[in-house]
Amino acid sequence: MAPKKEEIVKKKASYGAESIQVLEGLEPVRKRPGMYIGSTGPAGLHHLIWEIFDNSRDEAMNGHANRVEVVLLPDGYVRVVDNGRGIPTGIHPKTKVSALETIMTTLHAGGKFGGDGYNVSGGLHGVGASVVNALSIHTRVEVHHEGAWFMQEYKQGIRKAAVKQMGKTKFNGTIVTFKPDAEIFKEGTEFNWDTVVTHLRQQAYLVKGLTIHVIDARTYEGKVDLEGSLYIFDLGWEQPSQSFYFEGGLKSLVKHYNEFAKPVHKNIFYVEKEAEGVGVEIALQYIDDLSTKIAAFANNIPNPEGGTHITGFKTSLTRLINAYARKNGILKEKDENLTGEDVLEGLTAVVSVKLREIQFEGQTKAKLGSMEAQSATATVFSDAFTLFLEENPDDAKEIINKGLLALRARKAAKAAKDSVLRKGALEGFSLPGKLADCQSSDPSESELFIVEGDSAGGSAKMGRDRRTQAILPLRGKILNVERARLDKMLGSEQIKNLVLAMGAAIGDTFDLNKVRYHKLIIATDADVDGAHIRTLLLTFFFRYYRPILEAGYVYIAQPPLYKITHNKKEYYAYSDEERDNVYKSLGFKLEEIGEVDITETIEDESKEEGDEEEVTTKKPKLPPTQRYKGLGEMNPDELKETTMDPSKRVLKIVSIEAAEEADKVFEMLMGNEVGPRKSFIQTYAKQANLDI
Ligand code: 1YM
C-alpha cells in the first residue's frame, strides 16, 4: 500500500495512543488514489476491502483475534468485523484527539505497538484504514473495548463528529463499515463475490487457526441493523456465505492446489520454524504432471515473481534431493546430478516468510528482496526436508523417481531437438518436400500458410500468390498425438517440417532474425479437429517459440462459414449473425421466413471422396446458402478470395495470452489427469456436437 514507507521513523513503543506518528492529512489520497491503491478500477476497489481486512488479520496474527467477518451489504456497503482488542481510542497527547480518529483521518498514521509483533502488512499497522476512509463516501467505525462501545463516522475521510461512546458492550473488537465513493471509482463500485472469496480463502490458509466468514448480503431487503450484534453472521440470514478455517495452514493450501491432481507420494511435507529472526513456513507435494507451482508470500503478501526466499528454497531442494539420492545409491557415481529444472517438474509448493523489516525489489511487491530471507529459508528447509526424506523413505523414493523421469525426458527432448537441428544444418537450404515455398526471400513480405489437410493444401497452392505466399500442409490426424509429451512432437515429421520451413532453428540456437516469414498463418477447419490442431500449434509456439509470438508473427486465418448466392453475386459470411445481416441487406425478412435454408455437403463414409451427396432443405424464400465445414470444401478461387488475398481476408493476430490459454487447454486435454479432461469434454460436448 502506502508508498514512501522509508520516510517514517519507526519507533518502538508499548501499546498506547502516544506511539502513533502523524504525518499528513488525506487530501493527497483523493487527489491521486492510484498511488495508494494501485488503480481506481476493479482491482483498486477490492483493495479497499483487503486494506481493512489486513488490519483484522494482523490482529489475529499477533494472537489477539481468531475470527473475522467480511459482509457485502446492500447499497454498496462493506462491513469488516474482528474480535480483536479494538483500535485504541485513547487521546493522543500531541493532536489531542482520539487515536482512533488519528488512524482514520491522517495519512501515514500508524504505530508499531507491542514491540515483537510481526509487522505483517509490510507497512505500519493500520496505515490502510485512512486511505479507505478517504476514498469512501461514508465510513463508520465501531470499537468495542473493555466494556465500552465507541463510534465515529466520516464522509470522504472527514469526521462527522468526535468519537462518541455509545454505551456498554460485552464484545471486544473492531467493526468498520464503509461505502466506496462512486466519484473516485468511476468504472463502478460493485464488488465481485468470487474475487472476494478467493482472496479471503487464500488469506485463511496463510493464517492458521483464523476463521473467516464471507457473506453476500447485498440482496437482503430488511433493515441492516448496524447496532445490534457484533456479528451479522450470527443473525442467521439466508444469504450466500462461505467460511474458511484451516488448521493445517499451508499444508491445507497445497492440498487445495493439488485437489484435482494425482500426487506421486502420500505425505505432504510441512515445516514452520523461525531462523535468524525470520519466520519460515513451507509445504510441498509432487504431482504426476509436468508443471511447477510455487506460491510465495512475504508477510502474507503474494510475491508472484518470487525473490530471495524462493531462491533459498530452490537451491536447497536441488541439493537435498541429489544428496539423498547419492547417499541411498539411487544415483550412482557415474550418474549426473538432477538439475534444478528436473526437481521442479510436478512440484507444488508454498513458501511463506514473516520478516520484521521487509524489502521488495522494485516498486511493486511482486518480488522479495530481503537477503536474510534466503539463508533463513534455506536453513529451515534443509533441516526439515532432510528429516522428512529420512523418515518417509517411500515418499523419498517417489520424489526422486519423478526427478529421474524429468531428467530422462529432458535428455530425450534435447536429442530430438538436436536431430531436428542437425537435419536442418546438414541439408543446408533444403526445405521440406511438403512445403510449397514462395519466391520472395524477404521475410517481411513473406507469409507461410499452415494448412490443415492435403486437400485444403492443394487448393491453397493453386489459390495463392506464389511471389509472397508459401503453403505447408499438415496431415491433420497425425498431429493428434494423444497424451503425448510435447517433446515427442519434435520427433513428429509434421513439426520437423514446420521447424525447417520457418528456418530459425529451435531451442538454444533459435534466432528470431532468421525466421523466413513474418506472417505464420494457421488455417484449420472450423470444427473440433481443427480447434484441436490449432490448440496444439499454439501450444507449440508458446513453449518453443515465444519470441515469435511476442513479435506478433502468428495469425489465425478466418475462413468464412457461409456463402450466399443471389442474383449471380456471391456473399461470404463469417458468422451466423453476419449471414443474417446479408439476408437482410438483400431484402429478405428473417422473421417471416423462420428456419434458414442451408445446403450442406454430407460426407458419407462408405463412399469415395468427392462422391458426396447434397442435401437441401427447401424453404423457398431465402437465397441458396452453402455452409463450409472445412477449407477443403472451398475451391482455389473461393479460398483465395475469402482467406488468402491480403486485400480481402480477415486475419486474427495471436497474442501471447491467447497462446498461453491454448497451452492450458492443451495441458488439460493431453495431460495425465482424466478428471479435468472429462469435465472439459462434458462442458463443451454441446458445442462439439454441432460439428458432427
Ligand atoms: C475491521 C478492521 O482495524 N482491527 C484492529 C486494528 C488495530 C488493533 C486491533 C490494535 C492494534 C494494536 C493495539 C497494536 C489497530 N491499532 C492501530 C494502532 N479491524 C481493525 N484491531 N491495539 C489494537 O498494533 O499494538 C492501528 S490498527 F495504531 F492504534 F495501534
Side-chain angles (χ1 to χ4, degrees):
M1 209 273 323
K4 300 193 206 145
K5 277 188 290 293
E6 313 77 61
E7 285 178 10
I8 301 159
V9 189
K10 280 179 194 155
K11 183 166 92 178
K12 269 208 176 167
S14 57
Y15 163 64
E18 62 284 351
S19 48
I20 297 153
Q21 298 142 34
V22 182
L23 292 180
E24 53 183 318
L26 292 178
E27 308 88 272
V29 183
R30 287 190 63 87
K31 242 185 219 148
R32 296 220 188 119
M35 279 199 40
Y36 297 87
I37 54 165
S39 79
T40 55
L45 177 74
H46 288 82
H47 204 96
L48 302 185
I49 306 186
W50 314 159
E51 286 292 344
I52 298 299
F53 170 83
D54 283 356
N55 291 337
S56 297
R57 181 205 60 200
D58 290 358
E59 186 68 354
M61 302 249 340
N62 287 325
H64 300 289
N66 64 3
R67 173 173 175 161
V68 180
E69 185 181 285
V70 176
V71 195
L72 304 186
L73 291 169
D75 197 27
Y77 277 92
V78 189
R79 190 181 203 215
V80 183
V81 185
D82 67 55
N83 63 349
R85 289 167 293 175
I87 301 176
T89 51
I91 300 292
H92 188 279
K94 258 195 219 143
T95 57
K96 309 272 188 266
V97 297
S98 164
L100 171 64
E101 180 171 330
T102 309
I103 283 162
M104 294 307 295
T105 59
T106 52
L107 194 53
H108 292 160
K112 202 175 168 211
F113 297 84
D116 358 293
Y118 288 118
N119 183 10
V120 277
S121 27
L124 289 174
H125 194 174
V127 166
S130 62
V131 170
V132 175
N133 194 21
L135 302 177
S136 296
I137 189 73
H138 178 204
T139 308
R140 176 189 171 101
V141 182
E142 285 152 278
V143 170
H144 295 247
H145 181 72
E146 290 181 353
W149 168 23
F150 300 93
M151 192 276 287
Q152 188 168 41
E153 286 182 288
Y154 320 82
K155 184 187 171 192
Q156 298 178 326
I158 296 163
R159 76 170 205 186
K160 290 187 176 173
V163 175
K164 212 167 41 193
Q165 184 163 354
M166 306 288 285
K168 291 193 174 142
T169 177
K170 36 184 202 304
F171 297 114
N172 272 305
T174 309
I175 308 172
V176 176
T177 311
F178 65 96
K179 173 176 170 154
D181 191 347
E183 221 175 84
I184 301 281
F185 300 95
K186 293 207 168 67
E187 288 176 41
T189 53
E190 193 174 336
F191 293 105
N192 181 302
W193 174 247
D194 289 338
T195 306
V196 175
V197 167
T198 305
H199 181 89
L200 295 176
R201 177 195 286 117
Q202 189 188 57
Q203 291 292 320
Y205 286 116
L206 292 168
V207 189
K208 247 196 304 194
L210 171 66
T211 302
I212 301 175
H213 299 297
V214 199
I215 301 149
D216 187 355
R218 285 175 293 186
T219 55
Y220 182 70
E221 284 173 3
K223 186 177 174 305
V224 179
D225 182 10
L226 294 179
E227 302 183 1
S229 156
L230 188 59
Y231 287 107
I232 288 181
F233 191 72
D234 289 335
L235 299 179
W237 291 355
E238 288 290 320
Q239 301 292 346
S241 74
Q242 294 227 30
S243 300
F244 304 112
Y245 167 82
F246 300 110
E247 214 154 50
L250 297 191
K251 201 171 180 175
S252 310
L253 183 52
V254 165
K255 216 184 259 173
H256 173 68
Y257 284 149
N258 288 350
E259 196 176 343
F260 300 112
K262 192 171 140 221
V264 303
H265 60 107
K266 195 171 111 254
N267 299 303
I268 298 177
F269 163 79
Y270 178 76
V271 64
E272 185 189 14
K273 223 177 149 201
E274 198 176 302
E276 302 157 40
V278 179
V280 180
E281 193 181 353
I282 302 172
L284 72 81
Q285 186 183 37
Y286 282 88
I287 54 168
D288 185 11
D289 199 286
L290 305 178
S291 59
T292 305
K293 181 175 179 73
I294 302 179
F297 300 90
N299 291 3
N300 288 351
I301 302 163
N303 317 121
E305 288 168 25
T308 44
H309 47 347
I310 297 307
T311 309
F313 166 69
K314 281 186 184 168
T315 320
S316 307
L317 180 70
T318 315
R319 187 173 51 78
L320 297 173
I321 288 185
N322 278 305
Y324 181 89
R326 291 218 177 267
K327 190 174 157 207
N328 291 277
I330 307 173
L331 278 179
K332 303 276 183 309
E333 208 169 305
K334 61 176 187 355
D335 294 333
E336 62 181 270
N337 267 351
L338 298 173
T339 64
E341 205 184 320
D342 297 333
V343 302
L344 288 180
E345 202 175 288
L347 175 70
T348 304
V350 187
V351 179
S352 166
V353 294
K354 306 268 165 57
L355 300 137
R356 291 210 168 84
E357 300 285 326
I358 191 161
Q359 268 179 356
F360 294 102
E361 251 174 54
Q363 279 303 98
T364 61
K365 291 175 180 171
K367 193 169 183 188
L368 181 68
S370 311
M371 281 320 292
E372 69 270 28
Q374 185 165 331
S375 54
T377 307
T379 306
V380 169
F381 181 63
S382 295
D383 292 351
F385 197 60
T386 306
L387 199 66
F388 174 84
L389 293 175
E390 251 141 45
E391 285 178 352
N392 302 282
D394 290 346
D395 295 68
K397 207 173 96 200
E398 296 301 336
I399 291 172
I400 287 160
N401 280 342
K402 173 81 186 154
L404 288 171
L405 192 72
L407 178 135
R408 266 179 242 127
R410 179 168 54 84
K411 288 206 159 159
K414 185 166 183 310
K417 271 184 202 168
D418 288 350
S419 95
V420 172
L421 286 178
R422 250 195 317 281
K423 190 170 175 232
L426 280 178
E427 292 178 4
F429 296 111
S430 97
L431 291 161
K434 282 266 176 191
L435 174 77
D437 205 9
C438 57
Q439 290 158 348
S440 168
S441 55
D442 174 4
S444 70
E445 63 167 6
S446 301
E447 306 180 343
L448 176 66
F449 279 83
I450 305 161
V451 182
E452 173 185 357
D454 285 334
S455 81
S459 293
K461 269 179 211 169
M462 286 192 273
R464 71 179 170 144
D465 171 357
R466 342 182 115 251
R467 206 180 68 74
T468 56
Q469 297 184 320
I471 312 292
L472 180 69
L474 296 179
R475 255 180 305 143
K477 288 295 178 192
I478 220 86
L479 266 171
N480 242 333
V481 268
E482 266 189 54
R483 296 168 65 74
R485 293 179 67 112
L486 206 61
D487 324 328
K488 274 196 200 143
M489 280 176 53
L490 290 174
S492 115
E493 205 52 39
Q494 311 289 317
I495 291 296
K496 256 187 222 170
N497 284 346
L498 178 58
V499 171
L500 288 174
M502 289 194 296
I506 191 166
D508 303 339
T509 45
F510 168 74
D511 183 354
L512 185 66
N513 294 319
K514 288 205 181 127
V515 179
R516 301 176 58 245
Y517 315 92
H518 284 188
K519 283 203 173 72
L520 302 161
I521 303 166
I522 300 172
T524 56
D525 292 343
D527 60 11
V528 171
D529 276 347
H532 207 162
I533 293 166
R534 195 170 57 235
T535 302
L536 205 136
L537 284 169
L538 291 181
T539 304
F540 175 70
F541 281 116
F542 181 72
R543 295 201 189 168
Y544 291 97
Y545 285 113
R546 221 167 281 193
I548 291 189
L549 286 164
E550 279 159 0
Y553 290 174
V554 183
Y555 297 82
I556 295 171
Q558 305 284 298
L561 280 178
Y562 298 102
K563 179 165 93 174
I564 300 138
T565 316
H566 184 62
N567 285 347
K568 296 202 177 140
K569 276 203 184 133
E570 285 157 356
Y571 304 86
Y572 294 99
Y574 294 82
S575 65
D576 289 5
E577 198 190 349
E578 257 188 66
R579 176 200 63 197
D580 294 348
N581 286 339
V582 171
Y583 292 150
K584 276 186 211 151
S585 69
L586 295 174
F588 294 91
K589 287 212 180 82
L590 271 179
E591 308 76 48
E592 289 169 18
I593 298 153
E595 280 284 293
V596 170
D597 168 24
I598 290 174
T599 311
E600 286 208 30
T601 314
I602 306 286
E603 280 174 49
D604 187 337
E605 303 265 300
S606 64
K607 289 183 184 161
E608 293 291 289
E609 225 188 294
D611 196 13
E612 288 144 345
E613 232 182 302
E614 297 237 309
V615 179
T616 314
T617 330
K618 282 279 172 254
K619 286 258 172 60
K621 282 184 191 151
L622 276 183
T625 302
Q626 187 185 355
R627 173 159 196 244
Y628 296 117
K629 277 205 264 169
L631 297 165
E633 287 180 5
M634 280 183 222
N635 65 39
D637 285 342
E638 287 172 341
L639 198 58
K640 177 188 172 126
E641 186 168 342
T642 61
T643 314
M644 301 183 72
D645 183 346
S647 66
K648 293 181 184 153
R649 71 188 177 195
V650 183
L651 291 184
K652 203 158 83 182
I653 191 158
V654 179
S655 66
I656 194 101
E657 292 81 19
E660 187 174 6
E661 190 55 37
D663 182 69
K664 282 203 191 107
V665 171
F666 175 88
E667 193 61 58
M668 184 167 50
L669 293 176
M670 305 300 196
N672 293 328
E673 272 308 295
V674 182
R677 181 161 48 242
K678 208 168 147 193
S679 77
F680 179 85
I681 291 169
Q682 280 163 353
T683 311
Y684 290 97
K686 269 206 196 109
Q687 270 152 273
N689 279 339
L690 293 178
D691 298 317
I692 296 165

